[in-house]
Amino acid sequence: MRVPLELRRAYKLLNHGPTTLVTSAAHGRTNVMAAAWAMPLDFDPPKVAVVIAEATFTRELVEASGEFTLCVPTRAQLEQVYAVGSASGREEDKWALYRLHSSPASRVQAPLVEGCVGWLECRVLSEPDVQRKYDLFIAEVVAAWVEDSVWKGTGWDFGGAEELRSVHHMAGGVFFTTGERVQAPKPEKK
């Protein structure tokens, strides 16, 4: 039997793809946050859209620099993904706190998160009304990288490397990795 769903919960019906880590850099500071609402938007030139809430430190840095990266974390990074999505980097260095390692990007200031399987370097396309009204940032992808051990030809091939599969977030702190439901871990400061 079909039953109505509250419209404010309609987003739960859509698969958002993998949870990403958004990195940002400006004014000599960097930050990393988890974002489940990121998606491809166009092919040529490639564009993406990501929701970055107004009050976040990441948003402050992205607005100052006009750049960010989207990094595709792995199942092995699940605890770190949850932790950086549950804490603010305004007062704490989440990189050090949660033992995340970075490397320089090739075309933007925001760093790449080591251990991921995909990385997109992005420059924001100015859409101030969309950003203000919907917290939605549209960006052109200026460089893309993939972990060669899990990318074969034109797509993912994990070949049994389960720890390298991407993480998918569902509202309510539930994550899916290769079809397996995993309750979100409690963030633990290291």
Side-chain angles (χ1 to χ4, degrees):
M1 172 171 59
R2 189 175 328 161
V3 298
L5 179 65
E6 296 174 76
L7 288 180
R8 68 183 184 92
R9 300 200 188 289
Y11 71 94
K12 290 186 175 193
L13 300 179
L14 302 177
N15 179 354
H16 303 294
T19 297
T20 60
L21 293 174
V22 179
T23 71
S24 52
H27 312 299
R29 303 251 340 250
T30 63
N31 195 41
V32 58
M33 68 169 247
W37 288 10
M39 67 178 189
L41 195 59
D42 205 350
F43 295 106
D44 190 18
K47 294 180 189 78
V48 294
V50 63
V51 172
I52 305 173
E54 182 178 16
T56 64
F57 185 52
T58 293
R59 170 107 169 228
E60 181 181 317
L61 297 179
V62 168
E63 287 179 334
S65 68
E67 302 174 337
F68 61 86
T69 70
L70 289 176
C71 306
V72 181
T74 68
R75 179 181 183 173
Q77 295 170 300
L78 179 61
E79 286 186 35
Q80 292 168 309
V81 170
Y82 187 74
V84 301
S86 302
S88 172
R90 192 176 309 280
E91 306 300 326
E92 301 179 295
D93 178 356
K94 291 194 279 186
W95 296 93
L97 193 61
Y98 300 113
R99 296 185 192 165
L100 285 169
H101 301 285
S102 66
S103 60
S106 66
R107 306 267 317 267
V108 300
Q109 289 181 38
L112 304 176
V113 179
E114 286 294 319
C116 291
V117 290
W119 303 265
L120 300 172
E121 299 179 30
C122 306
R123 288 209 177 101
V124 174
L125 300 173
S126 182
E127 294 285 348
D129 291 337
V130 172
Q131 292 165 11
R132 185 183 68 256
K133 189 172 182 179
Y134 301 107
D135 295 332
L136 185 70
F137 284 75
I138 299 170
E140 182 176 345
V141 178
V142 295
W145 308 93
V146 67
E147 171 56 48
D148 69 347
S149 67
V150 294
W151 189 266
K152 307 296 182 217
T154 59
W156 299 111
D157 181 357
F158 293 95
E162 297 302 312
E163 70 283 357
L164 294 179
R165 288 189 180 273
S166 58
V167 174
H168 295 259
H169 177 265
M170 300 298 286
V174 175
F175 290 83
F176 286 86
T177 58
T178 68
E180 175 187 350
R181 181 183 171 135
V182 179
Q183 187 64 37
K186 300 292 184 229
E188 182 178 311
K189 294 181 181 181
K190 306 291 180 185

